[in-house]
Amino acid sequence: MQKAYDYIIVGAGTAGCTLAHRLSTDSRYRVLLLEHGPDDRNWILQMPAGLRSAFKPSSKYNYWFKTTPQKHLNNREIDQPRGKALGGSSSINGMTYLRGNPLDYDNWATEEGCAGWSFADCLPYFKKLERRDGAADAFRSTDGMVGVKAQQDLNPLNAAFLEAGQQAGHDLTEDVNGYQQEGVSRFEMSVENGYRSSSARAYLHSQPARDNLEVVTGAKVLRVLLDQGRATGVELARGREVLRIESKREVILSAGVFGTPQLLMLSGIGPEAHLRDHGIDVRLAAPMLGDNLHDHLEAHIQVETDQPVSLNKYLKPHLMVWAGMQWFGWKGGVASINQCNVGAFLRTDADVTHPNIQFHFFPVFFGANWIPNPSKNGYRLGAGPMRPESRGTVRLKSADPSDSLLIDPNYLATDRDRYEMREGLKLGRELLAQEAFKRYHRREDLPGLNVQSDSELDDFIREDATSAYHPCGTARMGADGDERAVVDLDLRLRGIEGLRVVDASVIPAVPSANINAATFMIAEKAADIILGNAPLTPEHVPYYKAI
C-alpha cells in the first residue's frame, strides 16, 4: 500500500467492489479497496451449491453475527450471517436476484423524501448492472456486469409450485423483475456459466487489472481519521502492523449495515451519550446513526413427501460425487444453480398497494439450522412480510474494534407485523393444499396439523421465525432537514466532509424483495454521483398496479 490514495473504499462487498471498478475507470484517480476477509476465489464461494459450507459458524468467510435476545421471538438470538471475503455477502448469499417492486422506489422519492431515487431514476442503474440471460426490454438489460438467469428446467416440486399458485387464483408472472412483480414466478439467480455472480467476480476478477486500483485483503479498518471536520484517511490493522493511509478526496464506507455504523461510532461519530458511555471522544453528534435497523423475517411451512423428487436425494454419497464431478468438470449439474428457483409475491388484503408477502420455495427437506436431511424428501416454503414496521438498532458493546456488536432488530414489535406473518403462513398453506401438490404430500412437518388458530400460529412464529438476511437502514439517507437522515441524497455523511456511505445502510425503507440487487444499484448510482457524472436519464415506464 502507498501512503495516500484519492479514494479509500472500506469493505469489498456488493457495493465496495462495484465502486472500486467504477471509480478506477478514471485513470486520474488512485483507488484503494480494503477488505477484512480473505480472497473469494475458492470453490466454496464460486460454486452455487457451496453456500451451505459458507453458512457454518466456523466458516472463515462469514462473520456470523447474532442479534440480542428478541423479546417477541421467545428471547431467541437470531443468526445474522454476513460475508467476510471479497464480494462480501454477495459471496455467501442464496443468489436470489430480485429488485423489489417499482412502487418501493417511488415511495423512496415521495413518502421517504428521497428525491432522485424514484423507480424511473433507479431503473437505468438496475439495467446498467445486469447481464440477463434472456431478452432485453424496457425493464431489462443483457449487457451489464452481473450475470443473472432464471432456471428453465424445473424440478417437479418447483413446477408444482407454479401450477398450485395458479390453481389458488394467483397470476403467473413472466418476469418478476419486469412489469409485474405480483404473482407466482420463476425467481432469477445471480449465477452465470455455473459460477456465482458475486460483486467480486463481476466487477473485479472478470475485468482487466488496473494500475490505479489496489485491492488489499486481510485489512481491518479500526477508524476513520478526522481532522477539523474532514475525513483524511483511515487507520487499519494488517497482521501485526497498524497503518495510517491518507485519502486525498474521499473515504467511502461500504462495510455493510453492521460494519458501517460500528466504524463510524469507533471514529467518534454517532449518538453522543452512547459514545461517551464507551469512552469515545465525540467528533460529531449523529443521533440517528445505528437506528432504523429493519429486516425481513420468515416463518416456514415444511412438508414431507414419500417420493424421491427433492434435492435431498443428491446427498447420497455417489450422487454428491457425481454433482461435484459435473461442476468441477464443466460447471454443470445440480451444483451449478442455487436452491430457490421459484417463489411468489402476494398481498394479504385487497387494500394493500403492492405485495406485502414473499414466498421462497425450496425443493428441499431441511433439518435444524437449514441443514438438508439426507434421509427424507420434502419441500419448504418461507413466508414473511415485505415492509415491516418494526425498527431496531445497532450499538457498540465496547470501544474494542474486535468486539461483537449489539444488534437488535426488534422483530415483530407491532401488531401489523404479527398479523402479516400469520396471514403469510395461511396463504402459504392454501397454496400448498392445491391439487398440484397432493401427489407429493405425505405429512406437514411444520407448523404441523396441531397448529391452526391464530394463537397457535403466533406461538409457532415466535419459535420458528428467522431472518431472511436482508438487514438495512442504519445510516439512512434523506433530504436536507430530515432529522431521520444520517447521509444526504448524495450519500455524504452529514457534518463531515470527504466521507460517504455506500451500502445497504443508506436504504430508507427495505424494498419488497431480497436486497442484493438494490445494493448493486445503489453503488452504480453512487459511482456517477461521486465522479460528478451526469446521472443516467430517468426511464419512465408503466408498471403493474393492483389498485
Side-chain angles (χ1 to χ4, degrees), residues 112-427:
E112 302 297 335
C114 296
W117 291 87
S118 70
F119 183 64
D121 297 307
C122 296
L123 177 57
Y125 289 99
F126 275 122
K127 292 169 71 173
K128 183 178 182 179
L129 76 90
E130 74 180 15
R131 183 168 57 254
R132 183 196 189 199
D133 179 21
D137 58 28
F139 289 88
R140 308 306 304 276
S141 170
T142 58
D143 57 3
M145 304 291 289
V146 181
V148 299
K149 62 182 290 188
Q151 179 67 11
Q152 298 301 319
D153 183 16
L154 293 180
N155 172 285
L157 293 170
N158 287 333
F161 179 86
L162 296 182
E163 186 180 355
Q166 295 170 83
Q167 291 171 347
H170 307 299
D171 289 344
L172 176 66
T173 297
E174 291 301 321
D175 179 7
V176 69
N177 291 314
Y179 169 75
Q180 180 174 338
Q181 182 199 44
E182 185 168 349
V184 296
S185 63
R186 285 173 167 82
F187 278 2
E188 289 184 314
M189 54 183 155
S190 48
V191 172
E192 186 177 48
N193 298 324
Y195 287 97
R196 171 192 290 273
S197 295
S198 69
S199 63
R201 182 172 179 81
Y203 287 90
L204 296 182
H205 306 321
S206 66
Q207 306 303 313
R210 291 174 178 161
D211 292 339
N212 64 327
L213 171 61
E214 190 163 356
V215 180
V216 178
T217 57
K220 182 175 179 60
V221 176
L222 306 176
R223 63 189 178 107
V224 178
L225 300 175
L226 304 172
D227 183 24
Q228 297 182 348
R230 180 175 182 83
T232 59
V234 298
E235 182 178 85
L236 63 91
R238 193 165 189 240
R240 295 184 178 181
E241 284 189 292
V242 175
L243 306 171
R244 288 188 167 202
I245 310 296
E246 177 189 347
S247 63
K248 296 178 181 179
R249 299 179 69 88
E250 289 189 7
V251 174
I252 304 167
L253 299 186
S254 298
V257 66
F258 305 134
T260 287
Q262 179 186 32
L263 190 52
L264 288 170
M265 291 179 196
L266 291 172
S267 306
I269 300 168
E272 291 183 79
H274 179 63
L275 298 183
R276 290 196 177 101
D277 286 345
H278 293 295
I280 298 171
D281 291 337
V282 179
R283 307 297 297 273
L284 176 71
M288 300 307 293
L289 178 68
D291 287 7
N292 193 46
L293 173 63
H294 55 300
D295 185 16
H296 288 145
L297 199 67
E298 283 190 346
H300 306 96
I301 305 167
Q302 182 158 275
V303 177
E304 183 180 358
T305 180
D306 53 12
Q307 298 192 44
V309 291
S310 67
L311 298 183
N312 299 74
K313 64 185 179 182
Y314 292 104
L315 296 173
K316 293 180 172 63
H318 68 290
L319 292 179
M320 289 179 69
V321 170
W322 174 232
M325 291 174 61
Q326 289 176 296
W327 190 82
F328 283 103
W330 59 90
K331 302 302 176 285
V334 70
S336 68
I337 60 173
N338 72 345
Q339 295 172 354
C340 182
N341 300 145
V342 298
F345 289 96
L346 305 178
R347 291 180 297 139
T348 57
D349 305 277
D351 61 350
V352 174
T353 56
H354 58 300
N356 59 334
I357 299 294
Q358 179 180 7
F359 290 151
H360 288 100
F361 182 78
F362 300 91
V364 186
F365 190 94
F366 290 99
N369 299 318
W370 288 86
I371 303 301
N373 188 326
S375 64
K376 293 186 177 181
N377 282 283
Y379 42 99
R380 177 176 285 200
L381 187 67
M386 284 293 91
R387 295 181 294 283
E389 296 177 336
S390 302
R391 293 294 186 271
T393 58
V394 172
R395 294 289 186 265
L396 299 176
K397 185 177 288 186
S398 78
D400 183 349
S402 64
D403 208 348
S404 58
L405 288 166
L406 298 174
I407 299 169
D408 180 11
N410 193 28
Y411 289 123
L412 294 185
T414 73
D415 289 339
R416 180 68 191 183
D417 286 355
R418 292 189 286 270
Y419 165 80
E420 290 189 350
M421 284 293 297
R422 285 195 304 271
E423 294 304 304
L425 289 176
K426 292 176 185 177
L427 280 171

Side-chain angles (χ1 to χ4, degrees), residues 104 108 294-296 385-388 391 470-472 507-515:
D104 295 326
W108 282 11
H294 55 300
D295 185 16
H296 288 145
M386 284 293 91
R387 295 181 294 283
R391 293 294 186 271
H470 307 152
C472 62
I507 291 174
V510 65
S512 305
N514 308 50
I515 64 170

Side-chain angles (χ1 to χ4, degrees), residues 30-50:
R30 291 200 62 82
V31 179
L32 174 64
L33 177 62
L34 296 171
E35 170 56 38
H36 183 204
D39 193 283
D40 67 309
R41 281 169 287 194
N42 181 292
W43 71 267
I44 289 174
L45 303 185
Q46 301 293 309
M47 176 198 286

Side-chain angles (χ1 to χ4, degrees), residues 449-465:
L449 294 181
N450 60 322
V451 178
Q452 297 295 333
S453 69
D454 284 358
S455 175
E456 290 165 343
L457 285 170
D458 283 343
D459 288 342
F460 170 75
I461 289 164
R462 282 191 289 269
E463 190 55 39
D464 176 80

Side-chain angles (χ1 to χ4, degrees), residues 471-503:
C472 62
T474 51
R476 184 193 191 281
M477 67 171 162
D480 292 344
D482 186 343
E483 295 182 354
R484 303 169 296 174
V486 176
V487 301
D488 67 15
L489 297 181
D490 288 337
L491 310 186
R492 295 172 297 206
L493 191 93
R494 284 209 166 86
I496 298 287
E497 294 183 15
L499 183 56
R500 212 177 292 250
V501 175
V502 182
D503 58 26

